[in-house]
Amino acid sequence: MRETVFLTGATGFVGTQTARRLVAREGLHLIVLVRGKTTGEAAARLSRTWWPRPELANAIGSRVEVLAGDLGASHLGLSQEDYDSLAARITHIVHSAADLRLDGPVEELRKINVEGTANVIELARLAHRHHGLARFAHVSTAYVVGKRTGEISEEALTDENGFSNTYEQTKFEGELLVRAAGLEFPVSIFRPGMIVGDSTTGEIATFNTVYVPLRLYLTGRLPIMPCRGDLPVNVVPVDYVADAISTLAFDGRAAGLTFHLTVPPRLLPNARQLLDGVRDWAAGALNVRLARPVMLPMQKPPRAIPPVLFSYFSEDRRFRTTNAESLLGPCTMEWKSILPRLLDYAAAKGFLRASGRTAYEQVVSRLQSKTRPVRFHEIAGGRVAHRSAGEVHEEILRAAGGLKALGVNRGDRVAIAGLNSVRYLVLDVAVGLTGAVSVPVYSTTPAAEMEEILRASRSRLLFVGAPGLLGELGRMNIDLPTVSFCRGEAAAPVIPWEKFIGLGRATALEPVSLGDEATLRFTSGTTGRPKGAIFRHDQVRWMAETLASLLPWKARFRPASYLSFLPMSHVVEGILGTYAPYYLPAPVDIWFLEDFKGLARALPRVRPTVFFSVPRFYEKLWESFTSRPLGRISRLMRPVARAALLRAAGLDRCAQLISGSAPASPFLLADFLRLGITIHNAYGLTEAPLATVNRTGANRPGTVGAPLPETRIAIADDGEVMVKGPQVTVGYDGVAEQPFHDGWLLTGDLGHLEGGSLVLDGRKKDLIITSYGKNIHPGKIEELLKGIPGVAEAMVVGEGKPFCSALLWVNDGATVDGGVEKMNGLLSHPEQIKKWQVLRNDLSIAGGELTGNLKLKREAIRQRFGRQIEAMYGSTRVHVPPEGGTRSARTP
């Protein structure tokens, strides 16, 4: 008979790890019971849990058969036909399902841990009567012995000393049932200790038991450890447990035996050794210096320790491992080598439980949190409005219902164009919950370009949250239902916000697959038509989790304040900034700024924890610094000046200042650094929203930082930067030409690596080749030009010409000639700007010279200023008739 295993608890951590090993067993068929009303719902739930494990997720529907049921129901919630069929086919049962809550109500825990176990035993009886069951493998816990002390044999099972919690009690009751059933068919019982992450990767689903005091110690909340220094810490890696279960369940010698899946006492760390290891790791990995904790046994738990865990701080027992070591061989766990991997993984996840949710579901879940609350604030029209998490939660669900009422289904595209606001967030989350695909568009996008994007994206519905854009709708040749989420009333035929929200009602939302498309983000169109980059739900979630993990360690656990001011249609704000705060393990205040021009006034009010902006903001900030006496003081007083200037700017509580979206002048960054202010360059693009970043404590000026976790950077033979990683788009929507080569994203940027950090040299398409055959990277020169006081924007030209020239857009009254000449002294002869044209700064998005994120549209500029460009190459001295207040070109 074919080996067919029935597995319970497949969505749990031990169940998932055991399933990995069972699926790898040749010829084995795996049947898993997953809670759900339908097979499709159960399979979707399992797929989410197993998503990080492609070998498992891809096996669903083939080698892995999913049954929708209920462990606590008669016949496991299956029809009689399905139940009988299941019993007739299975050769082995692995029962790993459990309610793991240590302090749950006893009757609730009995539903799974006792009644559920009884129901699986009934299935085993039926299977054994039918054809003979090869094995019933039951996953129990070493703590079924309750408060017993001393040496614990693997056969010991008694409640004479009572239990520390309801979990121990109900697992004891469940194991009693299994032992009794062992008289009828072959049984093996597995008793793990305190399970920690994988010994190789550190991966774990829930950071409970031993992780709780470690987190408290790492965050400075537990200076006194309420236990003896020589207390053995009964931890065991999950791979040891899963390997043992999947091996011994098929070993005939294991029938009738109980196994302590614990590390032998001789190999366990004690509490003092474990914490010393944590201190050493924190100093190297987090740049955090921890004081050595005081080890002080207590009668009552300190406030930080959950009372239900306190019994494990005074253990006085040793678990024998005779059976396990006789069949598996001696345990060789080296806890000193495993501990850093466990801590690396825990720190990267912020000690937050792996939920399997999408980023959109994480928002909804987090809004219901009492321990890590979220509050919202909107700055608009000179006023601040406050919104509670409960109000926003309710509005999201109603918006999801409104989308359904308007006929939006899974996979439909929904366009959103508006100012940053709570309503924008509500819509974005609601779209994600329904399984539709969001298509954010800059609210400043010209009507013709927006029309093109709406058509290219095949959007079914348009949401508009910018009054100016509402007036532009009449100029678009589109027949698209439109909803206004502007403040104030909207004229027909636009659907007003109140009416849309009124459509919402309680509606069942099908689980969204992590592999489904989540959002379509259009490129800025600097070099041609905008293209829509597709991102899946798993990618959005990864980016949000990863960005939250990049925050300096101590700042991650303090109450956080986040300011949303960059357009939410931008990938940095709309993906990274929008969802990362909901993965922070701390209370969060989220502020939305409607008008970017009000940023300088908003920052002192918000005082954000982390701040990301474009280089132009930092240029303005430096100008404000140098306009004050504090910005021009002696080195001795610089620490005082730094604190005062940052406080005045509203950046004094900021754990990290980040610059991105465009190159920042190295001279500007050096100016800040001389004052003691570090700005960290980062790098990303629409197709990979964040690829590298300089982190606190590891900043390398002149670079854009090291790759993000799980991200690889390579340089092609021609110097083009290539990226691989979970954040890289799966491709352009509806476009034949894709931006990949051999699986690598071709960024279009030129660069090189220095010590693992990326240095950008310019855009590949912007490379200038002079008539002398010299290759010039204009980006570097343009950064220097924009560092000249008064220069707002610069564009270098010279393709096919004997020398380089520049168009300079300057602020009124600025004199830049001396600055250009001084800058030339920093460049090689071919790079030097021989002529330049001074122009009035009238570039705009509406005029077609700037993209929605304020980058130059070079071809459009070349067309508009063609006369000025050609005049700079027509003679040694030129005078061009000014266009819109421009001034004559200069030559040094």
Side-chain angles (χ1 to χ4, degrees):
M1 186 176 180
R2 177 187 182 187
E3 281 185 342
T4 302
V5 177
F6 175 65
L7 173 67
T8 69
T11 57
F13 184 50
V14 172
T16 294
Q17 297 297 323
T18 303
R20 288 181 59 205
R21 285 131 176 104
L22 294 176
V23 166
R25 189 178 176 93
E26 189 174 351
L28 181 145
H29 184 65
L30 184 62
I31 304 174
V32 298
L33 183 75
V34 180
R35 188 174 66 251
K37 296 179 181 178
T38 65
T39 300
E41 180 183 322
R45 183 165 179 258
L46 183 64
S47 177
R48 282 189 179 207
T49 303
W50 285 2
W51 186 263
R53 299 287 179 187
E55 74 276 19
L56 286 180
N58 294 337
I60 297 173
S62 54
R63 294 194 60 202
V64 176
E65 179 183 342
V66 180
L67 294 178
D70 181 354
L71 193 68
S74 175
H75 285 39
L76 305 177
L78 304 175
S79 68
Q80 187 66 54
E81 181 181 359
D82 288 344
Y83 186 75
D84 291 342
S85 172
L86 176 63
R89 292 185 291 150
I90 58 176
T91 59
H92 297 71
I93 292 176
V94 177
H95 178 42
S96 70
D99 188 331
L100 300 173
R101 292 176 295 166
L102 295 181
D103 56 350
V106 66
E107 291 306 322
E108 290 184 19
L109 267 68
R110 280 179 176 146
K111 185 71 174 175
I112 298 298
N113 298 345
V114 183
E115 295 170 29
T117 299
N119 291 335
V120 179
I121 290 172
E122 281 302 313
L123 174 68
R125 287 194 179 104
L126 183 59
H128 195 64
R129 287 197 299 268
H130 185 276
H131 55 267
L133 188 70
R135 188 69 51 81
F136 184 100
H138 175 66
V139 183
S140 184
T141 174
Y143 295 98
V144 290
V145 297
K147 296 181 179 179
R148 281 190 63 176
T149 59
E151 192 166 75
I152 310 297
S153 72
E154 287 165 298
E155 290 73 26
L157 186 66
T158 176
D159 62 349
E160 62 185 29
N161 293 330
F163 300 96
S164 300
N165 52 62
T166 52
Y167 170 71
E168 292 179 359
Q169 178 183 340
T170 55
K171 289 299 287 184
F172 164 81
E173 294 170 2
E175 187 174 320
L176 282 178
L177 298 178
V178 175
R179 286 196 168 217
L183 301 174
E184 305 173 52
F185 46 78
V187 165
S188 295
I189 296 173
F190 301 98
R191 293 177 174 177
M194 287 190 288
I195 295 176
V196 294
D198 185 278
S199 63
T200 303
T201 65
E203 177 191 355
I204 195 168
T206 304
F207 299 97
N208 53 15
T209 59
V210 71
Y211 286 94
V212 174
L214 294 186
R215 172 177 58 82
L216 293 170
Y217 176 50
L218 280 165
T219 53
R221 296 177 56 199
L222 197 63
I224 299 177
M225 197 62 63
C227 64
R228 319 185 310 270
D230 64 350
L231 173 76
V233 184
N234 182 28
V235 292
V236 58
V238 70
D239 45 318
Y240 178 80
V241 174
D243 284 343
I245 295 169
S246 57
T247 299
L248 297 177
F250 299 91
D251 189 333
R253 299 172 298 168
L257 296 180
T258 299
F259 300 89
H260 276 154
L261 300 185
T262 58
V263 175
R266 67 182 184 278
L267 298 177
L268 286 176
N270 63 38
R272 172 65 70 191
Q273 292 170 328
L274 186 67
L275 292 173
D276 284 346
V278 172
R279 289 175 65 241
D280 292 342
W281 171 84
L286 302 178
N287 197 28
V288 171
R289 307 292 171 182
L290 296 171
R292 198 172 191 188
V294 176
M295 312 297 292
L296 183 64
M298 298 181 180
Q299 295 299 315
K300 294 182 179 181
R303 182 177 299 179
I305 294 290
V308 72
L309 286 179
F310 190 58
S311 62
Y312 301 114
F313 285 79
S314 57
E315 282 195 67
D316 183 18
R317 51 193 161 201
R318 297 168 303 283
F319 294 96
R320 282 189 190 170
T321 56
T322 307
N323 291 340
E325 293 204 77
S326 66
L327 296 187
L328 296 173
C331 178
T332 59
M333 186 190 89
E334 291 283 347
W335 69 267
K336 287 185 179 180
S337 63
I338 294 173
L339 181 62
R341 299 167 197 154
L342 302 180
L343 294 171
D344 283 343
Y345 186 87
K349 300 298 181 182
F351 285 83
L352 289 178
R353 176 177 177 268
S355 65
R357 305 183 188 104
T358 67
Y360 309 92
E361 293 163 342
Q362 174 70 9
V363 174
V364 173
S365 174
R366 186 64 186 270
L367 294 184
Q368 301 171 81
S369 173
K370 303 299 182 185
T371 56
R372 300 182 180 97
V374 179
R375 294 180 298 185
F376 295 94
H377 319 271
E378 290 181 301
I379 305 175
R383 297 182 179 182
V384 178
H386 307 282
R387 299 288 303 278
S388 72
E391 292 172 336
V392 176
H393 177 266
E394 174 65 21
E395 200 161 57
I396 288 171
L397 297 183
R398 292 179 66 189
L403 289 167
K404 288 288 187 182
L406 291 176
V408 173
N409 296 309
R410 188 169 178 166
D412 287 343
R413 275 62 182 298
V414 176
I416 308 174
L419 306 176
N420 293 20
S421 63
V422 170
R423 287 181 179 179
Y424 197 123
L425 173 72
V426 164
L427 287 171
D428 206 32
V429 174
V431 169
L433 291 177
T434 60
V437 181
S438 67
V439 185
V441 186
Y442 287 101
S443 60
T444 53
T445 302
E449 187 175 317
M450 180 169 288
E451 182 180 334
E452 181 181 343
I453 290 174
L454 294 175
R455 292 187 188 281
S457 65
R458 305 183 299 283
S459 293
R460 289 277 313 276
L461 186 63
L462 171 63
F463 286 91
V464 175
L469 182 57
L470 282 177
E472 292 286 305
L473 294 178
R475 299 174 55 189
M476 299 184 205
N477 185 25
I478 55 170
D479 183 16
L480 198 64
T482 303
V483 178
S484 168
F485 63 99
C486 297
R487 290 181 292 114
E489 297 185 8
V494 176
I495 302 171
W497 178 255
E498 289 73 18
K499 182 177 181 180
F500 165 71
I501 285 295
L503 297 172
R505 59 184 183 281
T507 182
L509 297 173
E510 295 182 10
V512 177
S513 169
L514 289 168
D516 286 348
E517 293 179 10
T519 186
L520 193 62
R521 301 284 167 153
F522 276 81
T523 59
S524 58
T526 53
T527 58
R529 284 188 168 185
K531 295 181 286 288
I534 302 168
F535 295 96
R536 301 184 309 250
H537 280 277
D538 63 317
Q539 295 179 289
V540 174
R541 183 179 74 177
W542 183 90
M543 286 186 270
E545 286 182 324
T546 301
L547 191 68
S549 74
L550 296 178
L551 205 61
W553 176 252
K554 290 184 178 179
R556 231 185 295 177
F557 291 86
R558 291 198 295 262
S561 184
Y562 178 75
L563 176 62
S564 172
F565 68 94
L566 292 172
M568 293 178 73
S569 50
H570 191 287
V571 287
V572 168
E573 185 65 63
I575 294 182
L576 302 174
T578 294
Y579 293 102
Y582 303 94
Y583 289 92
L584 289 174
V588 180
D589 281 84
I590 298 176
W591 297 73
F592 291 95
L593 178 63
E594 185 178 80
D595 186 357
F596 179 85
K597 295 177 183 177
L599 179 60
R601 294 188 301 276
L603 281 171
R605 179 191 291 270
V606 176
R607 300 172 79 186
T609 302
V610 64
F611 184 75
F612 178 98
S613 191
V614 295
R616 189 60 183 152
F617 168 80
Y618 292 107
E619 292 166 7
K620 291 287 188 182
L621 182 63
W622 183 253
E623 289 174 9
S624 73
F625 280 6
T626 54
S627 67
R628 306 178 189 188
L630 282 175
R632 302 187 297 271
I633 64 169
S634 67
R635 177 177 296 182
L636 185 63
M637 291 298 294
R638 279 177 186 170
V640 176
R642 175 187 181 278
L645 291 170
L646 287 178
R647 184 166 55 250
L651 297 173
D652 55 313
R653 290 183 180 174
C654 201
Q656 189 166 4
L657 295 170
I658 303 175
S659 174
S661 290
S665 165
F667 299 100
L668 175 69
L669 301 183
D671 286 338
F672 274 105
L673 195 57
R674 279 193 293 272
L675 197 57
I677 299 171
T678 302
I679 297 173
H680 301 79
N681 259 334
Y683 168 68
L685 58 160
T686 301
E687 296 86 347
L690 187 62
T692 67
V693 66
N694 276 297
R695 300 180 66 172
T696 300
N699 188 44
R700 296 195 62 181
T703 79
V704 288
L708 266 61
E710 302 176 54
T711 303
R712 295 164 61 194
I713 301 291
I715 308 298
D717 292 341
D718 63 354
E720 184 170 5
V721 178
M722 303 188 297
V723 183
K724 270 188 181 179
Q727 74 276 55
V728 172
T729 176
V730 297
Y732 293 138
D733 179 58
V735 176
E737 184 180 353
Q738 296 293 325
F740 303 106
H741 176 69
D742 292 338
W744 289 86
L745 172 69
L746 300 174
T747 64
D749 290 305
L750 298 171
H752 62 277
L753 293 168
E754 290 184 0
S757 292
L758 178 63
V759 178
L760 294 177
D761 296 322
R763 288 289 293 170
K764 187 175 180 180
K765 289 186 177 181
D766 296 340
L767 185 68
I768 293 172
I769 304 177
T770 69
S771 59
Y772 289 102
K774 299 293 185 179
N775 290 350
I776 306 297
H777 297 293
K780 166 189 170 183
I781 305 169
E782 288 165 357
E783 287 177 34
L784 294 174
L785 287 169
K786 287 189 288 185
I788 298 172
V791 176
E793 192 57 81
M795 188 174 113
V796 174
V797 296
E799 178 68 27
K801 304 296 185 180
F803 55 83
C804 290
S805 298
L807 299 175
L808 304 178
W809 290 270
V810 303
N811 300 324
D812 291 340
T815 302
V816 300
D817 295 1
V820 177
E821 294 170 3
K822 182 179 179 182
M823 179 209 70
N824 276 332
L826 303 172
L827 300 172
S828 67
H829 183 74
E831 293 174 315
Q832 291 176 359
I833 302 300
K834 303 299 191 295
K835 297 183 181 180
W836 56 94
Q837 180 74 35
V838 177
L839 305 165
R840 180 165 58 86
N841 184 18
D842 63 349
L843 299 179
S844 68
I845 297 171
E849 302 94 359
L850 299 178
T851 67
N853 58 353
L854 304 180
K855 293 180 181 178
L856 294 178
K857 287 188 173 182
R858 293 179 181 269
E859 187 54 40
I861 288 173
R862 274 190 281 266
Q863 291 179 13
R864 175 181 168 184
F865 297 98
R867 289 183 304 158
Q868 284 86 346
I869 294 172
E870 287 305 314
M872 287 189 288
Y873 293 98
S875 64
T876 307
R877 290 280 177 182
V878 296
H879 181 84
V880 181
E883 181 198 11
T886 63
R887 291 163 55 195
S888 63
R890 303 288 177 85
T891 57

